Amino acid sequence: MSVREFNVIVAGVGGQGILFTTNVMARAALKLGLNFAQSEVHGLSQRYGSIRTELRIGSDVSSPLVLEGTLDLLIALEPLEGLRQAPYISERTTVVMNNHVIPPVGAYLERFPIPSFDEILELMRSLNPKQIMVLNAYDIAKRAGDYIVANTVMLGAAQATGVLPFPEGVLREALEEVSPSRYRDLNLRAFDLGRESVSPPR
Amino acid sequence: MGDLLAPANTLEVLLGNEAVARGALEAGLNVAAAYPGTPSTEIGEALAKVAKLVGIYFEWSANEKVATEVAMGAAWSGLKALTMMKHVGFNVASDAIFTLAYAGVTGAMVIVSADDPHAHSSQNEQDNRHYSESVGLPMLEPSNPQEAKDLTKEAFELSSKYKIPVMVRTTTRISHQRGPVRLGEITAGFSKGKFVPPEPDRYLQVGAIARKHHAELLGKLKEISLDVAPSYAKVEGASDAEFGVITSGVAYAHAKEALKLVNVNAKILKLGMTFPLPEKDIGEFLSSVNTVLIVEELDPYLEMRVKAIAKDYAPEVEVLGKLTGHMPRVGEYTMRTVLEGLSKALGVVLPVNFAEIDSRSSEILKKVPPRPPILCPACPHRSTGYALRRAAGRAAFMGDIGCYALLFQKPFRVEHVTHAMGSSIGLANGIDVATDQDVVALIGDSTFFHAGIPALINAVHNKRKMTVVIMDNRITAMTGHQPHPGTEVNAVGDEAPAIDIEKIVRSIGIDYVKVVDPYDHAATEKVIRDALKHDGVSVVITKRECALLTVARLRRQGQKIVPYRVNPDKCTYCRVCINTFACPAFVDTGSLVEIDPTVCFGCGACVPVCPYGAFEPQEGSLNWREQKIGV
Ligand code: SF4
Ligand code: SF4
């Protein structure tokens, strides 16, 4: 398999399992023998603030950071955080977005107006991404067994869009390998439900 | 986490920091010691995890100076030793390291400095390349995880060959970059060494002896610059190019791709050793081009030295970089930074229209509320902040390094200062001398052990009046939960004597000492009011474990985390909860406050905050305070 360049950003709020989601994709890339570079945030920056990881896959990749305007896939576990990636989004971007808004409590103190999900979606559309998939990842995760696997639901949905440079089986195997044993079955269920939620898989 | 013990010759996904750890294991590591600090922490975490399996010694030390001395002791006994720290940790260790350079080692020693351009989780953007030069220790700089592993291993080899500690410098995007790493054989394991100074005065750095050793050190460095540094200088690109780039570390990774994108005829000189520099190789590179752009994060370290070299080798060459305004001096580099630098230097048209992207996205970003880091839901520090605000609102608050530094934000504002490890108590000494204000020093448990104790002793001996609030959450939380001298286990999970903070405080003659559960807001508030009245040094220990530990433990025990809720019939929408407590689980609907069940940990700390009693448990919710969970 050869990929020249494929750029993913996973964005959300600290605590949503963003690192885990990205690690699964990195593991899939490794399994396929693809070159990749992933960059993530640690420390103070993950205390319920905005966080995002960047994953770049491809033979031409050496920088671990995505260049503005060249994003292929955005996985937004939280819609405001998805919108915050605006500089990276272009016609080549597929957006997979959770519809559950987590308003930053600091915004209330500053009286900063918080856009509704519909407003966020409209702003996202104005950036002209290739496609936007919206799902209620928390509901689907709860159906799988626990809302803490909403991140895996999102990953399944991302796989179903068909843009990821991995066959489904490889990503699923990678998920199995990266999951702690206690959460393995739960994660696999969440992944499958996430995949089914994007229809029809072309 | 990647599998640190995966077999040789396999490819494994490793974080840059894990790759450093693996490199040390392949080099034959025996002893490692460190104090956690982002972005260096995962090196120690990786070693702690495998220490018993591989049979090496690893400890989380009380601070970076002690960690360095532990490693030095091992390296002076003929073993291979490693210590690692974040850039500012080097400042703490530097007192020992400056003289260590003179003393050298008999075994091998590697010191990793993890710098943090953009100050992602640091108090400054210090550039530790200056340290290697002023201390006099060679420095290797990897540009991806594979090199992080390889160069760490080579650093050990250089160290044993030249009997000198070797530094490895990473930056955030190397430390926290994951990539494929081809593995080698692990040879690490612990064995006892023997402390025998190679000559009687080797480790006695006084006057005449130190001067002798200084001269020796300079001799070694000269040799390394001639014999070793050139092998780390790699030229890539078109040999006939008249435009060159000199770079190192992650900046190289950005530059390599950026040059491909603009498609100019260029060559790159990549430096894997940034001290001492391969003067001749740099000189030859400079003579082969007309213009050179220096691509490096933080200080113009290379730029100034390249300019000096150019004077001798190629006085005509144009050296561009930070000093000429082509590259920024603040913040971390990205491909965009480099592209913009190239466009300034060469006038090339960029493949991406940044102006358009900026104007399009800035309109959108104006509508996205900022989301700075904030204390976790259920964090005990939030409760301490709440009580402090009410009890000591007018005091001068000296903060320190830890999650609780976030209490500088609204609505708490009980951190006027965050400076360096242990500075809260030290500064409180000074503010008390200089003013008549009430002074409160806030410090965490790990930070207290690291550098708080001497300052507290100072306060007692010098008869200061101040209140010290020690926020004991039973762990080093901010860096990801490493144990410290106050915890019952050590780095590798063995039982360890826990040093009792309360006993230390009493033993130095402080008689006002109170321990309180911060979730008990009323009691905490009362104790703080009381402590402020005390004439002398008073200490309040607010003790409750980090909420993330509690949640992880409850989940392990199979407990469901059931959120609290707001009773809509009781909520008057007064917003007192938001304006005074600001838990991230609170949602303001415009007519009510609600709790976001995906964020709430179900601690119940909000219950006493609402004047109308609107916060309620749901079926299965726990009350952490009443059930004494995490105390
Ligand atoms: S990690 Fe622990 S101490 Fe730090 S903010 Fe979260 S709950 Fe509080
Ligand atoms: S403090 Fe109580 S009554 Fe006031 S807004 Fe909050 S939940 Fe509602």
Side-chain angles (χ1 to χ4, degrees):
Chain A
M1 192 159 183
S2 124
V3 176
R4 272 202 63 194
E5 184 188 330
F6 186 82
N7 299 323
V8 192
I9 287 179
V10 186
V13 179
Q16 287 190 309
I18 288 154
L19 258 185
F20 175 82
T21 313
T22 320
N23 286 348
V24 175
M25 289 186 281
R27 167 65 58 169
L30 183 86
K31 291 174 83 70
L32 290 167
L34 300 171
N35 176 52
F36 65 91
Q38 176 195 335
S39 163
E40 54 199 48
V41 282
H42 291 229
L44 191 58
S45 32
Q46 53 183 325
R47 298 288 172 248
Y48 290 77
S50 302
I51 77 159
R52 69 157 205 237
T53 55
E54 302 167 59
L55 173 63
R56 305 191 59 229
I57 300 171
S59 48
D60 287 356
V61 164
S62 63
S63 166
L65 299 176
V66 176
L67 179 64
E68 285 85 337
T70 70
L71 188 63
D72 295 292
L73 172 65
L74 169 64
I75 302 182
L77 287 156
E78 199 283 332
L80 287 167
E81 295 312 316
L83 200 54
R84 206 186 297 284
Q85 311 311 318
Y88 298 88
I89 298 166
S90 70
E91 301 72 41
R92 81 187 241 195
T93 314
T94 291
V95 178
V96 180
M97 188 157 69
N98 186 3
N99 71 356
H100 182 81
V101 179
I102 302 178
V105 68
Y108 301 136
L109 300 169
E110 303 296 340
R111 306 250 165 214
F112 195 114
I114 295 165
S116 68
F117 178 74
D118 291 339
E119 287 162 332
I120 295 170
L121 189 58
E122 199 177 306
L123 290 167
M124 187 61 93
R125 285 208 181 100
S126 74
L127 289 163
N128 285 324
K130 190 162 88 187
Q131 52 175 338
I132 303 180
M133 298 286 169
V134 173
L135 63 161
N136 187 336
Y138 282 109
D139 271 6
I140 301 171
K142 241 188 259 156
R143 264 198 283 137
D146 195 327
Y147 71 79
I148 60 171
V149 289
N151 57 341
T152 313
V153 170
M154 297 291 292
L155 187 65
Q159 171 67 41
T161 64
V163 298
L164 275 169
F166 331 115
E168 183 232 316
V170 174
L171 191 63
R172 206 170 185 281
E173 264 172 45
L175 173 65
E176 219 172 327
E177 284 171 28
V178 177
S179 287
S181 53
R182 212 150 45 93
Y183 291 111
R184 193 162 296 148
D185 293 339
L186 185 60
N187 267 325
L188 291 174
R189 268 201 307 282
F191 181 76
D192 292 337
L193 287 180
R195 229 160 27 86
E196 286 159 21
S197 70
V198 176
S199 56
R202 358 74 343 265
Chain B
M1 251 199 185
D3 179 4
L4 205 68
L5 301 183
N9 282 319
T10 49
L11 262 183
E12 178 64 30
V13 191
L14 292 186
L15 193 65
N17 278 338
E18 293 169 346
V20 168
R22 173 75 187 212
L25 294 177
E26 291 180 9
L29 179 70
N30 308 117
V31 169
Y35 181 81
T38 314
S40 72
T41 313
E42 297 78 14
I43 305 172
E45 293 204 305
L47 291 174
K49 221 180 221 174
V50 303
K52 286 191 173 170
L53 293 166
V54 180
I56 56 162
Y57 177 81
F58 175 74
E59 72 169 45
W60 287 118
S61 308
N63 68 31
E64 293 85 355
K65 179 168 181 280
V66 176
T68 300
E69 286 155 352
V70 170
M72 275 165 70
W76 284 359
S77 305
L79 301 186
K80 288 183 180 163
L82 173 72
T83 185
M84 49 279 182
M85 54 205 70
K86 69 181 297 175
H87 57 356
V88 287
F90 201 97
N91 301 330
V92 178
S94 64
D95 201 12
I97 295 176
F98 268 85
T99 309
L100 169 63
Y102 287 14
V105 292
T106 50
M109 177 161 169
V110 171
I111 303 169
V112 180
S113 163
D115 294 8
D116 189 16
H118 192 72
H120 286 280
S121 53
S122 308
Q123 58 269 45
N124 68 34
E125 292 192 297
Q126 181 176 314
D127 187 334
N128 280 9
R129 291 178 298 175
H130 297 297
Y131 261 126
S132 70
E133 188 177 42
S134 56
V135 172
L137 295 183
M139 171 176 271
L140 297 179
E141 278 197 65
S143 71
N144 60 34
Q146 178 73 54
E147 286 185 12
K149 181 193 80 75
D150 293 342
L151 294 194
T152 303
K153 188 173 173 202
E154 288 165 30
F156 274 99
E157 285 157 13
L158 285 174
S159 175
S160 40
K161 175 157 179 214
Y162 290 93
K163 302 288 168 223
I164 189 176
V166 173
M167 289 176 68
V168 172
R169 179 205 187 222
T170 60
T171 53
T172 303
R173 298 293 177 180
I174 296 296
S175 312
H176 292 161
Q177 176 182 158
R178 240 172 252 272
V181 178
R182 172 78 53 196
L183 303 177
E185 210 69 63
I186 289 180
T187 58
F190 184 75
S191 55
K192 292 274 179 200
K194 196 161 181 163
F195 177 74
V196 191
E199 54 284 356
D201 65 0
R202 173 46 59 181
Y203 301 133
L204 301 165
Q205 309 301 338
V206 292
I209 303 174
R211 286 193 289 277
K212 179 181 85 177
H213 289 156
H214 188 192
E216 265 178 42
L217 171 66
L218 296 174
K220 278 187 203 173
L221 290 172
K222 180 96 206 160
E223 205 181 322
I224 292 171
S225 79
L226 295 174
D227 298 347
V228 184
S231 57
Y232 287 100
K234 303 239 160 66
V235 181
E236 295 174 5
S239 56
D240 63 338
E242 287 175 351
F243 175 75
V245 167
I246 301 183
T247 184
S248 69
V250 77
Y252 158 78
H254 303 316
K256 188 175 163 185
E257 267 199 80
L259 279 171
K260 238 187 277 173
L261 281 175
V262 292
N263 207 9
V264 287
N265 203 29
K267 57 172 116 176
I268 304 183
L269 173 63
K270 176 197 181 199
L271 298 170
M273 181 175 267
T274 42
F275 181 77
L277 287 169
E279 201 182 302
K280 197 160 143 280
D281 300 73
I282 294 175
E284 280 165 9
F285 186 81
L286 292 172
S287 327
S288 74
V289 293
N290 294 335
T291 308
V292 58
L293 179 68
I294 313 292
V295 180
E296 58 181 330
E297 287 176 321
L298 301 175
D299 292 347
Y301 169 87
L302 288 174
E303 190 175 350
M304 291 200 288
R305 283 145 194 89
V306 164
K307 276 200 161 146
I309 296 171
K311 208 162 156 283
D312 291 340
Y313 285 80
E316 305 295 307
V317 73
E318 205 181 359
V319 179
L320 310 177
K322 295 168 190 282
L323 299 172
T324 54
H326 290 79
M327 300 295 292
R329 178 104 190 234
V330 173
E332 71 177 354
Y333 281 13
T334 61
M335 254 195 280
R336 174 174 179 168
T337 323
V338 184
L339 284 170
E340 286 174 338
L342 285 171
S343 124
K344 274 191 208 160
L346 296 169
V348 288
V349 182
L350 295 182
V352 182
N353 187 341
F354 293 121
E356 192 200 310
I357 287 181
D358 287 349
S359 73
R360 198 170 67 140
S361 52
S362 70
E363 282 312 302
I364 288 186
L365 292 178
K366 268 188 219 145
K367 304 199 172 117
V368 184
R371 191 192 305 269
I374 175 174
L375 296 168
C376 303
C379 179
H381 298 331
R382 176 175 294 104
S383 292
T384 303
Y386 175 81
L388 272 169
R389 184 78 245 155
R390 293 167 68 106
R394 289 168 183 283
F397 290 106
M398 303 297 116
D400 221 299
I401 311 289
C403 294
Y404 48 89
L406 296 171
L407 288 173
F408 82 88
Q409 290 164 327
K410 278 185 192 171
F412 308 104
R413 303 214 175 228
V414 292
E415 295 257 354
H416 294 129
V417 166
T418 302
H419 191 82
M421 293 289 282
S423 288
S424 61
I425 305 180
L427 283 164
N429 275 271
I431 303 281
D432 180 50
V433 169
T435 73
D436 287 327
Q437 289 163 271
D438 282 341
V439 188
V440 176
L442 278 79
I443 192 165
D445 41 352
S446 189
T447 311
F448 178 75
F449 289 114
H450 179 289
I453 295 172
L456 188 61
I457 289 174
N458 190 76
V460 175
H461 183 70
N462 291 298
K463 299 196 197 155
R464 302 270 50 91
K465 174 179 169 2
M466 59 163 85
T467 298
V468 178
V469 178
I470 303 176
M471 309 169 78
D472 182 4
N473 65 356
R474 315 296 309 133
I475 206 79
T476 317
M478 191 169 84
T479 46
H481 303 121
Q482 294 75 25
H484 58 60
T487 53
E488 292 81 8
V489 289
N490 65 15
V492 295
D494 288 336
E495 255 180 62
I499 314 298
D500 187 325
I501 295 179
E502 185 184 348
K503 280 195 191 142
I504 293 183
V505 172
R506 289 195 189 279
S507 74
I508 58 177
I510 297 174
D511 43 27
Y512 190 103
V513 187
K514 293 270 158 69
V515 183
V516 63
D517 175 4
Y519 273 19
D520 190 342
H521 297 170
T524 310
E525 195 182 319
K526 185 174 169 302
V527 166
I528 293 168
R529 279 186 205 282
D530 219 41
L532 281 172
K533 286 188 215 126
H534 181 77
D535 191 23
V537 180
S538 54
V539 171
V540 176
I541 302 174
T542 59
K543 190 167 173 180
R544 170 171 278 276
E545 84 181 351
C546 166
L548 296 186
L549 288 187
T550 311
V551 169
R553 190 159 34 75
L554 291 173
R555 285 211 171 109
R556 260 199 316 278
Q557 292 166 355
Q559 289 263 21
K560 273 259 179 215
I561 304 294
V562 181
Y564 273 56
R565 67 188 279 270
V566 175
N567 182 336
D569 298 333
K570 290 193 182 163
C571 175
T572 62
Y573 193 52
C574 66
R575 294 176 103 248
V576 163
C577 52
I578 286 175
N579 292 328
T580 64
F581 201 59
C583 174
F586 295 166
V587 178
D588 181 344
T589 65
S591 55
L592 274 184
V593 167
E594 286 178 354
I595 283 177
D596 184 337
T598 71
V599 178
C600 176
F601 281 150
C603 69
C606 55
V607 171
V609 173
C610 174
Y612 305 96
F615 291 112
E616 291 178 350
Q618 303 191 81
E619 162 108 31
S621 294
L622 306 168
N623 184 316
W624 295 9
R625 176 158 87 85
E626 279 167 12
Q627 302 183 21
K628 299 267 173 215
I629 296 167
V631 184

Coordinates of all heavy atoms in Angstrom, one line a residue, chain B residues 137-179:
Chain B
L137 N 29.2 20.3 27.8 CA 28.8 19.0 27.6 C 28.3 18.8 26.1 O 27.5 19.6 25.7 CB 27.7 18.4 28.5 CG 28.2 18.3 30.0 CD1 27.0 17.7 30.8 CD2 29.4 17.5 30.2
P138 N 28.8 17.8 25.4 CA 28.3 17.6 24.1 C 26.8 17.4 24.0 O 26.2 16.9 25.0 CB 29.0 16.3 23.6 CG 30.0 16.0 24.6 CD 29.7 16.7 25.8
M139 N 26.1 17.8 22.9 CA 24.7 17.7 22.8 C 24.3 17.1 21.5 O 24.7 17.6 20.4 CB 24.1 19.1 23.0 CG 22.6 19.1 22.7 SD 21.9 20.8 23.0 CE 21.5 20.6 24.7
L140 N 23.4 16.1 21.6 CA 22.9 15.5 20.4 C 21.4 15.9 20.3 O 20.7 16.0 21.3 CB 23.0 14.0 20.4 CG 24.4 13.4 20.5 CD1 24.4 11.8 20.5 CD2 25.2 13.8 19.2
E141 N 20.9 16.1 19.0 CA 19.6 16.5 18.8 C 18.8 15.7 17.8 O 19.1 15.8 16.6 CB 19.5 18.0 18.4 CG 19.6 19.0 19.4 CD 19.1 20.4 18.9 OE1 18.0 20.5 18.6 OE2 20.0 21.3 18.8
P142 N 17.9 14.8 18.2 CA 17.2 14.0 17.3 C 16.1 14.8 16.6 O 15.6 15.8 17.1 CB 16.6 12.9 18.2 CG 16.5 13.4 19.5 CD 17.6 14.5 19.6
S143 N 15.7 14.3 15.4 CA 14.7 15.0 14.7 C 13.4 14.2 14.5 O 12.5 14.6 13.8 CB 15.2 15.5 13.3 OG 15.4 14.4 12.4
N144 N 13.4 12.9 15.0 CA 12.1 12.1 15.0 C 12.3 11.0 16.0 O 13.4 10.8 16.5 CB 11.9 11.6 13.5 CG 13.0 10.7 13.0 OD1 13.6 10.0 13.7 ND2 13.2 10.8 11.7
P145 N 11.3 10.2 16.2 CA 11.4 9.1 17.2 C 12.5 8.1 16.9 O 13.2 7.7 17.8 CB 10.0 8.5 17.2 CG 9.1 9.5 16.8 CD 9.9 10.3 15.8
Q146 N 12.7 7.8 15.7 CA 13.7 6.8 15.3 C 15.1 7.3 15.8 O 15.9 6.7 16.4 CB 13.8 6.5 13.8 CG 14.9 5.6 13.4 CD 14.6 4.1 13.8 OE1 13.6 3.6 13.5 NE2 15.5 3.5 14.5
E147 N 15.3 8.6 15.5 CA 16.6 9.2 15.9 C 16.7 9.4 17.4 O 17.8 9.3 18.0 CB 16.8 10.6 15.2 CG 17.1 10.4 13.7 CD 17.4 11.8 13.1 OE1 17.6 12.8 13.8 OE2 17.5 11.8 11.9
A148 N 15.5 9.6 18.0 CA 15.5 9.7 19.5 C 16.1 8.5 20.1 O 16.9 8.5 21.1 CB 14.1 10.0 20.0
K149 N 15.7 7.3 19.6 CA 16.2 6.1 20.1 C 17.7 5.9 19.7 O 18.6 5.7 20.6 CB 15.5 4.9 19.5 CG 16.0 3.6 20.1 CD 15.5 2.4 19.3 CE 16.2 2.1 18.0 NZ 17.5 1.5 18.1
D150 N 18.0 6.1 18.4 CA 19.4 5.9 18.0 C 20.4 6.8 18.7 O 21.5 6.4 19.1 CB 19.5 6.0 16.5 CG 18.7 4.9 15.7 OD1 18.4 3.9 16.3 OD2 18.4 5.1 14.5
L151 N 20.0 8.1 18.7 CA 21.0 9.0 19.3 C 21.2 8.8 20.8 O 22.3 9.1 21.3 CB 20.6 10.5 19.0 CG 20.6 10.9 17.5 CD1 20.5 12.4 17.4 CD2 21.9 10.4 16.8
T152 N 20.1 8.4 21.5 CA 20.3 8.2 22.9 C 21.3 7.1 23.1 O 22.2 7.1 24.0 CB 19.0 7.8 23.5 OG1 18.0 8.8 23.3 CG2 19.1 7.6 25.0
K153 N 21.2 6.0 22.3 CA 22.1 4.9 22.4 C 23.6 5.4 22.1 O 24.5 5.1 22.8 CB 21.7 3.8 21.4 CG 22.5 2.6 21.5 CD 21.9 1.5 20.6 CE 22.8 0.3 20.7 NZ 22.6 -0.6 19.5
E154 N 23.7 6.2 21.0 CA 25.0 6.7 20.7 C 25.5 7.6 21.7 O 26.7 7.7 22.0 CB 24.9 7.4 19.3 CG 24.7 6.4 18.2 CD 24.3 7.1 16.8 OE1 24.7 8.2 16.6 OE2 23.6 6.4 16.1
A155 N 24.7 8.4 22.4 CA 25.1 9.3 23.5 C 25.8 8.5 24.6 O 26.8 8.9 25.1 CB 23.9 10.0 24.0
F156 N 25.3 7.3 24.9 CA 25.9 6.5 25.9 C 27.3 6.0 25.4 O 28.3 6.0 26.2 CB 25.0 5.2 26.2 CG 24.0 5.5 27.3 CD1 22.7 5.8 26.9 CD2 24.4 5.5 28.6 CE1 21.8 6.0 27.9 CE2 23.4 5.7 29.6 CZ 22.1 6.0 29.2
E157 N 27.4 5.7 24.1 CA 28.6 5.2 23.6 C 29.7 6.3 23.7 O 30.8 6.1 24.1 CB 28.5 4.7 22.2 CG 27.8 3.3 22.1 CD 27.1 3.0 20.8 OE1 27.3 3.7 19.8 OE2 26.3 2.0 20.8
L158 N 29.3 7.5 23.3 CA 30.2 8.7 23.3 C 30.6 8.9 24.7 O 31.8 9.2 25.0 CB 29.5 9.9 22.7 CG 29.3 10.0 21.2 CD1 28.5 11.2 20.9 CD2 30.7 10.0 20.6
S159 N 29.6 8.8 25.6 CA 29.9 9.1 27.0 C 31.0 8.2 27.6 O 31.9 8.6 28.2 CB 28.6 9.0 27.9 OG 28.9 9.2 29.2
S160 N 30.8 6.9 27.3 CA 31.8 6.0 27.8 C 33.2 6.1 27.1 O 34.2 6.0 27.7 CB 31.4 4.5 27.9 OG 30.7 4.1 26.9
K161 N 33.1 6.5 25.9 CA 34.4 6.6 25.2 C 35.2 7.9 25.7 O 36.4 7.8 25.9 CB 34.1 6.8 23.7 CG 35.3 7.1 22.8 CD 35.2 6.7 21.4 CE 36.5 7.1 20.7 NZ 36.2 7.5 19.3
Y162 N 34.5 9.0 25.8 CA 35.2 10.2 26.2 C 35.1 10.5 27.7 O 35.6 11.5 28.2 CB 34.6 11.4 25.4 CG 35.0 11.3 24.0 CD1 34.2 10.7 23.0 CD2 36.2 11.8 23.5 CE1 34.6 10.6 21.7 CE2 36.6 11.7 22.2 CZ 35.8 11.1 21.3 OH 36.2 11.0 20.0
K163 N 34.5 9.6 28.5 CA 34.4 9.8 29.9 C 33.7 11.1 30.3 O 34.2 11.8 31.2 CB 35.7 9.6 30.6 CG 36.4 8.3 30.3 CD 35.7 7.2 31.1 CE 36.2 5.8 30.6 NZ 35.1 4.9 30.4
I164 N 32.7 11.5 29.6 CA 32.1 12.8 29.8 C 30.6 12.5 29.7 O 30.1 11.7 28.8 CB 32.6 13.7 28.7 CG1 32.2 15.2 29.0 CG2 32.1 13.4 27.3 CD1 32.8 16.2 28.0
P165 N 29.8 13.2 30.5 CA 28.3 13.0 30.3 C 27.9 13.7 29.0 O 28.5 14.6 28.6 CB 27.7 13.9 31.5 CG 28.8 14.0 32.5 CD 30.1 14.0 31.7
V166 N 26.9 13.1 28.4 CA 26.5 13.6 27.1 C 25.0 14.0 27.2 O 24.2 13.3 27.8 CB 26.7 12.6 26.0 CG1 26.1 13.0 24.6 CG2 28.2 12.3 25.8
M167 N 24.7 15.2 26.6 CA 23.3 15.6 26.7 C 22.6 15.2 25.4 O 23.1 15.3 24.3 CB 23.2 17.2 26.8 CG 23.7 17.7 28.2 SD 23.7 19.5 28.3 CE 22.0 19.8 28.2
V168 N 21.3 14.9 25.6 CA 20.4 14.7 24.5 C 19.3 15.8 24.6 O 18.7 15.9 25.7 CB 19.8 13.3 24.4 CG1 18.7 13.2 23.3 CG2 20.9 12.3 24.2
R169 N 19.1 16.6 23.6 CA 18.1 17.6 23.7 C 16.9 17.3 22.8 O 17.1 17.0 21.6 CB 18.6 19.0 23.3 CG 17.6 20.1 23.4 CD 17.9 21.2 22.5 NE 17.0 22.3 22.6 CZ 16.6 23.0 21.6 NH1 16.9 22.7 20.4 NH2 15.8 24.1 21.8
T170 N 15.7 17.2 23.4 CA 14.5 17.1 22.6 C 13.7 18.3 22.8 O 14.0 19.2 23.6 CB 13.7 15.9 23.1 OG1 13.3 16.1 24.5 CG2 14.5 14.6 23.0
T171 N 12.7 18.5 21.9 CA 11.7 19.5 22.2 C 10.4 18.9 22.1 O 10.2 17.7 21.8 CB 11.8 20.6 21.0 OG1 11.7 19.9 19.8 CG2 13.1 21.4 21.1
T172 N 9.3 19.6 22.6 CA 8.0 19.0 22.7 C 7.6 18.1 21.5 O 7.1 17.0 21.7 CB 7.0 20.2 22.9 OG1 7.4 20.9 24.0 CG2 5.6 19.6 23.1
R173 N 7.8 18.6 20.3 CA 7.3 17.9 19.2 C 8.2 16.7 18.8 O 7.8 15.9 17.9 CB 7.2 18.8 18.0 CG 6.2 19.9 18.1 CD 4.8 19.4 18.3 NE 3.9 20.5 18.5 CZ 2.6 20.4 18.7 NH1 2.0 19.2 18.6 NH2 1.9 21.5 18.9
I174 N 9.3 16.5 19.5 CA 10.0 15.2 19.4 C 9.6 14.3 20.6 O 9.3 13.2 20.4 CB 11.6 15.5 19.5 CG1 12.0 16.3 18.3 CG2 12.3 14.2 19.6 CD1 11.9 15.7 17.0
S175 N 9.5 14.9 21.8 CA 9.1 14.1 22.9 C 7.7 13.5 22.7 O 7.5 12.4 23.1 CB 9.1 15.0 24.2 OG 10.2 15.8 24.3
H176 N 6.8 14.3 22.2 CA 5.4 13.9 22.1 C 5.1 13.6 20.6 O 3.9 13.9 20.2 CB 4.5 14.9 22.7 CG 4.7 15.0 24.2 ND1 4.3 16.0 25.0 CD2 5.3 14.1 25.0 CE1 4.6 15.7 26.3 NE2 5.2 14.6 26.3
Q177 N 6.0 13.2 19.9 CA 5.7 12.7 18.5 C 5.8 11.2 18.5 O 6.7 10.6 19.1 CB 6.8 13.2 17.5 CG 6.6 12.7 16.1 CD 7.6 13.2 15.1 OE1 7.8 12.6 14.1 NE2 8.3 14.3 15.4
R178 N 4.8 10.6 17.9 CA 4.8 9.1 17.8 C 5.1 8.8 16.3 O 4.7 9.4 15.4 CB 3.4 8.6 18.0 CG 3.3 7.6 19.2 CD 1.8 7.4 19.5 NE 1.4 8.0 20.7 CZ 1.5 7.5 21.9 NH1 2.0 6.2 22.0 NH2 1.2 8.1 23.0
G179 N 5.9 7.7 16.2 CA 6.3 7.3 14.9 C 6.8 5.9 14.9 O 7.0 5.3 15.9

